[in-house]
């Protein structure tokens, strides 16, 4: 089986690697539930969380996962401002120093968890790093660890990771979560995908060609109500205001936003199918793509999803470290 050294993109998450990581995650989850707190997989290891973009769940769940595994954590929550990037340093230099490119035993960290606004950042980092790089979100193209924790969530909800229908709803153009998720699921048998996006924020053509090449079954639609009754999972994402430059796109979305929101009506329509509603969070409080009046109902699963970030990221950290030692 291929070995995970760096985790840069969802394409690396082949069915066998996914199966292995999800089994490990489930074991961590169950042990933790049973009260085990002294995992030692990363004893003596230092994990650096290097975040050039804002984050709540990803950074904290990675740090929590690392601490639970016995690692030490060094961290900057705003590397764009508080690292030497603000003085004009290249990402490559930063990574070389932290990973110990000159004298490997004198690097500052043994694993680097990186979030960065540029699409190719994790790849560039991996090219010069002496230690594993884990991509915690790069620009609008990749977020493989979120894709994996979502896969874990689907498996928990449906009891399987094949033969189901998922609808992705919202800004599919700029959502790195949806890109990674669709790539991961295109490797699972019998997964049908619907893509439902506001005008101008449709799934990118290169992702569509990738999915077609892989034989992925997908269809596009323009309203959540047209697909919800056929969906085992509705996966909703926010409109990425932090990445959208064209204000017209936002206005068009805002005029039609009921077509892309989980409302009381949508929830009721899906009663019979038993559709689960997932969201990577954050939900945009102003747009409420999952309406507040239904967010606490039993088939809305975003908080469970966020919790699964811990065991899944424990599995990833433990795996890359184990592979590093071999
Ligand atoms: C996502 C991200 O950063 O891409 N957040 C997360 O990691 N849970 C989703 C988003 O920002 O919309």
């Amino acid at each position: 089986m291929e070995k995970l050294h760096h985790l840069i993109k969802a394409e690396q998450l082949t069915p066998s690697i996914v199966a292995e990581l999800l089994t490990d995650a489930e074991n961590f989850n169950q042990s933790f539930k049973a009260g085990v707190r002294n995992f030692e997989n990363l004893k003596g290891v230092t994990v650096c969380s290097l975040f050039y973009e804002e984050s709540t769940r990803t950074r904290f769940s990675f740090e929590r996962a690392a601490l639970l595994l016995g690692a030490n954590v060094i961290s900057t929550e705003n590397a764009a401002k508080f690292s030497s990037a603000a003085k004009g340093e290249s990402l490559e230099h930063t990574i070389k120093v932290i990973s110990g490119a000159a004298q490997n035993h004198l690097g500052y960290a043994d694993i680097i968890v990186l979030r960065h606004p540029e699409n190719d950042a994790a790849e560039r980092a991996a090219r010069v790093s002496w230690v594993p790089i884990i991509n915690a979100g790069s620009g609008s193209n990749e977020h493989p660890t979120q894709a994996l924790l979502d896969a874990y969530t689907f498996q928990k909800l449906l009891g399987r990771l094949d033969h189901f229908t998922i609808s992705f709803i919202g800004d599919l153009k700029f959502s790195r979560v949806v890109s990674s998720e669709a790539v991961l699921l295109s490797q699972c048998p019998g997964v049908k995908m619907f893509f439902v996006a506001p005008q101008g924020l449709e799934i990118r053509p290169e992702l569509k060609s990738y999915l077609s090449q892989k034989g992925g079954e997908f269809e596009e639609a323009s309203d959540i109500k047209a697909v919800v009754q056929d969906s085992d999972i509705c996966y909703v994402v926010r409109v990425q205001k932090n990445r959208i430059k064209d204000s017209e796109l936002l206005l068009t979305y805002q005029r039609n936003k009921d077509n892309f929101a989980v409302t009381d009506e949508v929830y009721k329509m899906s009663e019979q199918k038993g559709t689960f509603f997932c969201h990577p969070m954050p939900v945009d409080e102003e747009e409420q793509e999952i309406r507040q009046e239904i967010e606490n109902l039993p088939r809305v699963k975003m908080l469970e999803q966020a919790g699964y970030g811990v065991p899944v990221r424990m599995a990833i950290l433990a795996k890359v470290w184990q592979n590093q030692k071999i």
Side-chain angles (χ1 to χ4, degrees):
M1 192 193 297
E2 328 85 282
K3 284 217 158 51
L4 209 55
H5 177 54
H6 303 290
L7 176 53
I8 305 302
K9 49 187 176 177
E11 209 175 5
Q12 291 173 269
L13 296 171
T14 58
S16 56
I17 290 192
V18 169
E20 199 180 313
L21 288 170
L22 295 194
T23 305
D24 294 351
E26 181 61 11
N27 289 336
F28 282 126
N29 187 356
Q30 293 310 328
S31 311
F32 194 58
K33 203 169 170 183
V36 182
R37 289 292 184 275
N38 54 344
F39 302 95
E40 296 202 334
N41 308 53
L42 295 190
K43 202 162 177 220
V45 171
T46 299
V47 173
C48 168
S49 60
L50 184 62
F51 277 56
Y52 290 79
E53 264 190 347
E54 55 285 341
S55 170
T56 304
R57 279 149 291 272
T58 306
R59 188 166 69 89
F60 282 153
S61 62
F62 258 117
E63 294 186 1
R64 169 86 161 145
L67 291 167
L68 282 169
L69 291 170
N72 304 302
V73 174
I74 55 175
S75 175
T76 165
E77 62 174 322
N78 187 346
K81 198 163 167 202
F82 299 127
S83 79
S84 289
K87 301 180 190 165
E89 184 169 71
S90 70
L91 176 67
E92 281 79 357
H93 275 183
T94 306
I95 297 291
K96 280 185 184 174
V97 170
I98 296 174
S99 70
Q103 305 158 91
N104 303 162
H105 66 295
L106 295 182
Y108 303 163
D110 305 297
I111 300 174
I112 298 173
V113 179
L114 175 70
R115 170 169 285 196
H116 199 281
E118 285 161 23
N119 285 353
D120 62 350
E123 233 158 348
R124 279 167 46 209
R127 248 179 259 139
V128 297
S129 179
W130 283 84
V131 304
I133 298 286
I134 300 177
N135 184 359
S138 51
S140 52
N141 77 336
E142 283 280 3
H143 197 346
T145 71
Q146 178 74 39
L148 191 70
L149 83 84
D150 291 335
Y152 181 78
T153 308
F154 305 154
Q155 195 165 63
K156 293 289 255 186
L157 293 174
L158 305 174
R160 62 186 190 282
L161 201 52
D162 53 65
H163 299 93
F164 67 92
T165 300
I166 180 165
S167 296
F168 292 103
I169 323 280
D171 173 359
L172 308 186
K173 180 175 180 181
F174 292 107
S175 169
R176 56 191 173 199
V177 173
V178 172
S179 304
S180 289
E181 192 73 57
V183 168
L184 187 157
L185 292 177
S186 71
Q187 309 195 53
C188 302
V191 177
K192 163 141 197 198
M193 303 182 226
F194 286 112
F195 296 118
V196 185
Q199 205 185 344
L201 296 173
E202 293 92 353
I203 177 173
R204 293 189 294 267
E206 59 275 20
L207 183 55
K208 280 204 271 181
S209 354
Y210 176 89
L211 296 177
S212 304
Q213 260 172 37
K214 293 275 162 192
E217 200 192 333
F218 66 88
E219 238 177 85
E220 289 178 270
S222 54
D223 191 329
I224 185 171
K225 294 178 223 56
V227 297
V228 67
Q229 285 164 318
D230 292 322
S231 304
D232 298 291
I233 308 276
C234 266
Y235 195 101
V236 187
V237 290
R238 73 185 170 94
V239 169
Q240 304 263 311
K241 292 177 178 167
N242 48 332
R243 299 190 202 283
I244 296 175
K245 304 268 180 299
D246 179 354
S247 57
E248 261 312 304
L249 282 181
L250 256 184
L251 289 174
T252 312
Y253 161 70
Q254 280 161 339
R255 275 195 292 271
N256 301 296
K257 70 180 182 183
D258 275 4
N259 296 354
F260 312 101
V262 186
T263 57
D264 187 42
E265 183 190 358
V266 167
Y267 194 87
K268 284 195 182 119
M269 280 174 77
S270 61
E271 203 76 65
Q272 204 181 353
K273 177 75 173 167
T275 309
F276 293 109
F277 296 93
C278 293
H279 191 303
M281 302 181 86
V283 175
D284 186 324
E285 198 178 7
E286 197 185 329
E287 310 300 349
Q288 287 194 37
E289 61 275 5
I290 296 207
R291 292 287 148 81
Q292 271 165 8
E293 66 266 22
I294 57 110
E295 71 178 19
N296 294 318
L297 294 180
R299 287 183 287 114
V300 177
K301 294 294 181 189
M302 59 189 174
L303 295 180
E304 281 87 335
Q305 235 178 308
Y308 292 147
V310 176
V312 169
R313 289 176 169 131
M314 286 172 84
I316 295 168
L317 287 167
K319 187 63 69 192
V320 296
W321 182 244
Q322 187 189 5
N323 291 344
Q324 169 84 352
K325 286 192 300 183
I326 291 169

